Amino acid sequence: MNKSQKEQLVSELKSKIDGATALYFTDFTGLNVKRMTDLRRRLRKAGVEYVVIKNTLALRAVNESGLTGSKLKGPTGVVVSKDAAAAAKVLIDFAKENEQRPALKGGLVEGEVVSEAEVKKLATLPTKEVALGLLAGAMNGVLMVFALALAQHAGMPPGMTHEEHQAQMRKEAELKRRGDAAMGFDQDA
């Protein structure tokens, strides 16, 4: 590989890194072509890229992106992702199914160095879409309670407190029950 080809590879990886929030370094030793293809397919489905590149070129791209990477040893695959949790989940799940391969060497999340243990913790977090869904559901619940409180308050006579209104409603319910009982209506039926 000549110098211009190497520069092109570094440039391409650098542009991918610039738009990413997470980089994970893996050792893919022991994965056959079928497993590598499956890993790449799963990562692609999650919107994650997997690049196999020489260690020196990978570090050059990382450093040119303004990040600081540590020296890499052995065969390295670089996982580049905009969603740190989604990429970590795919890697960890795949490794569980494939004899802990690819092995994690560590990585960078939002410019901070992360260990293999931290990547495993990230894998347990919900993805961005799930977290946003949970937040929207929680906000919807709060809004619903607020709307119900407003609706209940709207039915109160002017000048009456909430407690007075509740007491009046209980009295009316008791009077209705007594009236129904006096007329021979069976409430248990």
Side-chain angles (χ1 to χ4, degrees), residues 37 39-50 90:
T37 303
L39 174 61
R40 286 177 187 265
R41 183 185 51 77
R42 291 185 194 188
L43 288 167
R44 201 173 316 117
K45 186 176 179 183
V48 179
E49 290 195 56
Y50 190 70
V90 171

Side-chain angles (χ1 to χ4, degrees), residues 22-26 50 76-81 83-89 91 104-109 114 119 122:
L23 295 176
Y24 301 125
F25 303 108
T26 65
Y50 190 70
T76 302
V78 182
V79 176
V80 183
S81 177
D83 186 347
K89 183 165 180 49
L91 280 174
L104 279 166
K105 295 181 178 184
L108 299 166
V109 175
V114 292
V119 175
L122 278 171

Side-chain angles (χ1 to χ4, degrees), residues 8 14-15 23 31 35 37 86 98 106 133 143 155 169 173 176:
Q8 182 181 354
K14 180 185 176 297
S15 67
L23 295 176
L31 289 178
R35 287 182 177 173
T37 303
N98 293 282
L143 290 174
M169 298 298 287
K176 181 177 181 343

Side-chain angles (χ1 to χ4, degrees), residues 116-188:
E116 178 182 354
E118 290 169 315
V119 175
K120 287 181 179 180
K121 284 181 186 176
L122 278 171
T124 63
L125 295 175
T127 62
K128 183 178 178 180
E129 290 78 20
V130 171
L132 288 174
L134 292 171
L135 177 63
M139 290 176 68
N140 189 32
V142 170
L143 290 174
M144 181 175 257
V145 169
F146 182 67
L148 289 172
L150 284 178
Q152 185 178 18
H153 182 71
M156 292 191 314
M160 186 179 279
T161 66
H162 178 70
E163 290 79 17
E164 292 170 336
H165 185 253
Q166 290 295 317
Q168 181 183 355
M169 298 298 287
R170 282 191 295 275
K171 283 181 189 176
E172 289 175 6
E174 179 63 24
L175 289 173
K176 181 177 181 343
R177 189 187 61 77
R178 285 183 189 169
D180 287 348
M183 295 180 80
F185 294 125
D186 186 9
Q187 290 193 339
D188 293 333

